[in-house]
Amino acid sequence: MVFTVSAIICSVLFAVSTVLCLIDSMHFFQLNSYRFDTHTKWIKENTRKYYLHAVLSVLALIAVFLEIPGQLKLFACAVIFALACPAEKPKKAKKPLVYTARVKRMLVTLALLILLMTGAGIIFVNPTRVSVYLLILTLIYTLAPVLVLLANLINKPMELSINNGYIKDATRILASCPDLRIIGITGSYGKTSVKYYLTTLLRAKYNVLMTPESYNTPMGVVKTVRGSLKATHEIFVCEMGAKWVGDIKELCDIVHPQHGVITSIGPQHLESFKTLDAVKSTKFELSDALPEGGMLFLNADDENIKAHGSTRPFISYSIDADADYKAYDISVSERGTTFSVRTPEGESEQFSTKLIGRHNVLNIVGAIAISHKMGITLKELKGQVRRLEGVPHRLQLSDRGDMTIIDDAYNSNPSGTKAALEALSLFDGYRILVTPGMVELGAKQNELNREFGRNAAKVCDYVVLVGQKQAVPIKAGLLDEAYDESRIFIADTIEEALSHVYSIDSQGRKKIVLLENDLPDNY
């Protein structure tokens, strides 16, 4: 009886600790986009996360093979699994695990795998052969992070079939709207802002649907079409993101855009693209997919777009270079921006917006160019530009009395950091930068973060760095410019960073805090 109770207690503690480990592993697998290669690379780079898991696994294995009675082995393993429960408990996350249908299916597969493995070991639950049962439990616990990948592999054919079904349904819905005009938007930076601005401008005349937030993957676009597209919509503005060569083509094969805009090309996601040339060819997959007569809009200020060139006619927009749609007389202050736009026909109009930064002018001019070519006059667009709101987490202003927050926390990049620092420089006050730095920049990551530090030194009165990894090159860049080291603080978490910001003595000046990037929990 005592042996049976001990076996039950040990089994329950094993189940709890293993489930907690599986949920934590599933969370990071989801953050790594369910990609085997990305996740295994992440595991190699974050082995410290699994040190305690490895130590507890080794201790359990030692207990299994010790020459002691079965009752004592059960007790020892029960103690180890009890210690594992708090150790494996997932930490508070900025972006918690989302229990999508895919995650639920993987959890069912994991449950079946574990039941199959533990079920096979139940026959050994007796005083003479308990070591075999405990060995099975220990191996399951030890391999829990790997079992997530195994469940994904098992489910892969089913997931592909389900996704293909969703894609077919979305293409059917799109085919049932023959008069719908579809505009694809891609770019290393600026695509989400142009999407929001364009949608606002087009609504002066049309019923417009856009992909919400950052729904720029195949399943995000498909979800938008299946859940939101109505027969009354006249234009669908579709943001197209990419991390791998062929991603834009895959999206174009689903929605078949008639018109497209490439906002920028830069060293974004170089970890997966490997080379800038691969980024260029991927972004121009949108151009290749447009039908004859479709309009292509290109940012004429982008050197990489100009270097790649276009094999088809295009409409250009800019704030610096000669272009079909050119912004000029730009005046930027902390209160907003005014500028004028000249069209290919020589028509011009002055615009004003509460948005700040020259880069925002460039994005707005791109949206004006498309809208004008879609039949909306500059005068009609003038009021719409005045109504433009800041895109969430992209230089979004928040005044809190004694402090102004410039929230640019979404997915920082080299071009974006320069624009954000330029915007910060417009404000009169004690300028504070809070940043974890930039990621997914491949071999250039340290170099570009060091350059970020050098640029920050010229603008910021104080710098708070988040996390130890990116802090090293950014701090080095700050010190390259003889920046006062006493005005640099390195925090482990964003919470600690913000707490420190409140304690900074701003010498009576209003604090202007730029939040530049906010990395998810897998960084």
Side-chain angles (χ1 to χ4, degrees), residues 152-166:
N152 182 62
L153 183 64
I154 292 169
N155 285 9
K156 193 171 184 178
M158 177 174 60
E159 295 300 332
L160 285 173
S161 177
I162 290 170
N163 287 349
N164 286 336
Y166 290 153

Side-chain angles (χ1 to χ4, degrees), residues 67-81:
E67 292 295 328
I68 56 176
Q71 179 72 27
L72 285 177
K73 288 187 179 185
L74 279 171
F75 177 76
C77 286
V79 170
I80 292 166
F81 289 136

Side-chain angles (χ1 to χ4, degrees), residues 96-276:
L97 174 65
V98 181
Y99 287 88
T100 61
R102 177 173 184 166
V103 167
K104 291 174 184 176
R105 288 190 291 268
M106 285 181 64
L107 289 174
V108 169
T109 301
L110 282 167
L112 292 174
L113 278 172
I114 292 170
L115 285 173
L116 185 65
M117 295 166 75
T118 53
I122 285 175
I123 58 173
F124 299 106
V125 187
N126 63 64
T128 58
R129 295 187 292 180
V130 71
S131 293
V132 180
Y133 177 65
L134 289 175
L135 178 61
I136 291 171
L137 297 190
T138 302
L139 288 176
I140 292 171
Y141 170 73
T142 302
L143 297 173
V146 179
L147 289 178
V148 169
L149 296 175
L150 178 59
N152 182 62
L153 183 64
I154 292 169
N155 285 9
K156 193 171 184 178
M158 177 174 60
E159 295 300 332
L160 285 173
S161 177
I162 290 170
N163 287 349
N164 286 336
Y166 290 153
I167 290 170
K168 285 180 181 177
D169 190 42
T171 55
R172 177 191 60 79
I173 293 169
L174 288 167
S176 70
C177 304
D179 296 327
L180 181 70
R181 285 180 278 182
I182 301 171
I183 302 170
I185 300 178
T186 192
S188 298
Y189 336 116
K191 57 184 177 292
T192 304
S193 295
V194 171
K195 175 187 69 176
Y196 274 88
Y197 303 158
L198 176 58
T199 299
T200 298
L201 300 193
L202 288 173
R203 282 177 177 160
K205 187 174 181 179
Y206 301 104
N207 188 348
V208 186
L209 171 69
M210 73 171 184
T211 48
E213 300 171 5
S214 292
Y215 279 41
N216 57 20
T217 63
M219 286 303 104
V221 171
V222 164
K223 183 176 181 181
T224 303
V225 171
R226 295 179 70 238
S228 303
L229 184 62
K230 302 290 187 294
T232 52
H233 284 124
E234 297 168 284
I235 295 178
F236 176 34
V237 178
C238 181
E239 181 180 345
M240 298 180 170
K243 281 191 176 183
W244 308 85
V245 173
D247 280 357
I248 299 300
K249 182 181 183 303
E250 182 182 359
L251 285 161
C252 289
D253 288 343
I254 295 171
V255 301
H256 301 290
Q258 287 99 8
H259 311 298
V261 54
I262 302 176
T263 62
S264 61
I265 295 176
Q268 185 83 318
H269 302 308
L270 282 183
E271 215 163 81
S272 50
F273 279 120
K274 306 302 181 188
T275 68
L276 189 57

Side-chain angles (χ1 to χ4, degrees), residues 186 260-265 283-284 286 296-299 305 317:
T186 192
V261 54
I262 302 176
T263 62
S264 61
I265 295 176
K283 299 306 179 185
F284 270 87
L286 174 57
L296 174 65
F297 297 84
L298 299 179
N299 170 10
I305 290 177
Y317 63 92

